[in-house]
Amino acid sequence: MVDWTKKFKVEYDAARTAIAKNGDYEAGWRTLVRKLESLMGAEGFDASQEVALGELRLKVTQGISQTKITEDKGILQAVGAWTDSNTGTINAEAKKRAASLKLLRHIYLQNKSGNRKVWVFSLPTDFTDWPSRQLSTNASTAGAVKQLLASHNEHFSEQQRRYIGNSAQQALAWCQKTGIVLTSAAASAGVGPNPGRDNARTLVRRWFAEAGLDDSTLNTYIATLTQGFKKIIAMLNKGHFVVTDWVPFRGTTDADEADFLASEAFTFVSNAEGMDVVYIESNFFTHNAGNVLNGQANWTRIILHELTHLVCGTDDVNNGNRRYAWYGIGPHNGYRGSDCIKNADNWAFFAADCAVALSDSERNNALKII
């Protein structure tokens, strides 16, 4: 059974608490730790303080004598707990401080232009739990602590981090273009022809209205979509959005956890985590033959799909099957607009369509009637 208390936000808060006690770190580290404290706001990371992460990555390999050392020694020196012995122990409070630095060591800010920012947490694959939990429960000796702190085989490659950053940036662009379409769709009918309004409303109907749906109901859908996409844009523009994997799922033998590990991504609906986080799992970068989209377009679709869950409270509607595009999300009498407007993939593909990011065959594949 999945333990949903192991959220990234819990680990973030633990690290933030440890960093706030900057007087507990070695004297030569306290100036940097105060910068790291400024980086970690109540709602998430502050992009204006991102330079502190580069300083951290450099400092953990410099050592007190400014000669190159391994990162485990650098971190343990920073928290006043370095020992040449591998058989002794590291006290619990020092482990908490070390865990906070290990977490921050593997945080990266992608897409630094303007407000289009996403943070990627790429913890080394040696970890099978968040740093504070693993150091506390699975590193009883100094040698075990050192092994974890020295690990550098990060979960996401540099190229994958760029793909993730590009996906968030492209998702924002799709949302902005969708907002323009929805503004046209909501415009007053007026007198005489209005092809811009008509085309926009046709686009909304394509993804959210079964044949014969009345204009009044369509207007409520347009209002719902308008409000939702505005919320997503506002959230992305805050610059606090974090992408990670759910580290405690790594190497799991639990069937329920394995199902989530094998997914593309997931998040907590309607900001239930208290922080803007999407968890990317093993199928995110996998090319599946049944996917309607592939590559960068599909990664953007996944991110936007999850953001509609996170910000707008959408669902993966189960109507004969989960209504993902590979199964068919075309509205019809067996899958009405009242379901489509709740379904995350309808939102994501509608946005891709508004952004002219779909080929005719991709659009037709997603809109198949089942």
Side-chain angles (χ1 to χ4, degrees), residues 66-354:
Q66 300 292 299
T67 57
K68 190 168 181 62
I69 59 173
T70 57
E71 292 189 16
D72 57 319
K73 187 171 185 177
I75 292 174
L76 289 173
Q77 283 181 346
V79 303
W82 172 254
T83 172
D84 290 328
S85 171
N86 288 332
T87 58
T89 61
I90 306 295
N91 75 67
E93 291 304 310
K95 285 183 180 180
K96 290 178 183 178
R97 296 193 295 276
S100 70
L101 295 179
K102 188 62 175 173
L103 180 143
L104 292 170
R105 159 67 182 87
H106 297 284
I107 288 285
Y108 299 91
L109 176 62
Q110 306 291 137
N111 295 351
K112 299 181 184 180
S113 60
N115 286 327
R116 299 181 181 187
K117 300 178 179 71
V118 57
W119 301 87
V120 179
F121 180 48
S122 187
L123 190 66
T125 55
D126 290 9
F127 283 81
T128 55
D129 208 337
W130 304 113
S132 68
R133 297 175 65 99
Q134 185 133 12
L135 288 175
S136 173
T137 61
N138 297 102
S140 58
T141 66
V145 172
K146 290 177 186 179
Q147 183 177 352
L148 287 168
L149 295 180
S151 61
H152 55 82
N153 50 330
E154 293 184 321
H155 182 76
F156 299 117
S157 69
E158 185 177 354
Q159 182 64 66
Q160 287 175 330
R161 295 202 317 264
R162 285 198 294 270
Y163 287 148
I164 292 166
N166 291 342
S167 297
Q169 184 171 359
Q170 192 170 63
L172 178 57
W174 286 9
C175 290
Q176 289 167 333
K177 291 176 181 177
T178 301
I180 294 171
V181 170
L182 290 168
T183 297
S184 296
S188 174
V191 178
N194 189 336
R197 178 181 184 271
D198 294 343
N199 290 339
R201 292 175 75 85
T202 296
L203 195 51
V204 178
R205 282 187 175 277
R206 178 182 294 165
W207 297 98
F208 298 100
E210 72 276 15
L213 186 83
D214 61 273
D215 276 350
S216 177
T217 303
L218 185 70
N219 288 338
T220 67
Y221 294 170
I222 292 169
T224 297
L225 291 164
T226 300
Q227 182 182 37
F229 281 104
K230 283 182 177 178
K231 286 181 178 179
I232 295 172
I233 291 169
M235 186 278 279
L236 288 173
N237 280 336
K238 287 192 303 182
H240 294 159
F241 177 40
V242 175
V243 172
T244 178
D245 69 312
W246 186 280
V247 176
F249 285 163
R250 296 178 181 179
T252 185
T253 58
D254 178 87
D256 290 336
E257 292 183 343
D259 283 344
F260 282 94
L261 182 64
S263 68
E264 292 176 328
F266 65 92
T267 191
F268 290 89
V269 174
S270 301
N271 303 102
E273 181 164 354
M275 192 172 180
D276 300 326
V277 183
V278 166
Y279 299 92
I280 284 180
E281 298 303 338
S282 60
N283 262 338
F284 185 88
F285 290 112
T286 301
H287 178 86
N288 292 313
N291 281 353
V292 174
L293 300 175
N294 285 291
Q296 187 64 65
N298 192 49
W299 304 329
T300 300
R301 188 274 307 172
I302 296 168
I303 291 292
L304 186 49
H305 174 116
E306 298 303 329
L307 290 177
T308 70
H309 288 324
L310 177 68
V311 179
C312 308
T314 62
D315 197 2
D316 296 322
V317 171
N318 193 333
N319 181 300
N321 203 324
R322 293 285 184 186
R323 285 290 175 171
Y324 300 112
W326 59 263
Y327 179 72
I329 56 174
H332 60 287
N333 285 337
Y335 176 52
R336 295 180 178 274
S338 55
D339 279 336
C340 297
I341 198 63
K342 300 173 187 175
N343 192 54
D345 243 12
N346 282 77
W347 283 60
F349 273 85
F350 169 62
D353 207 4
C354 290

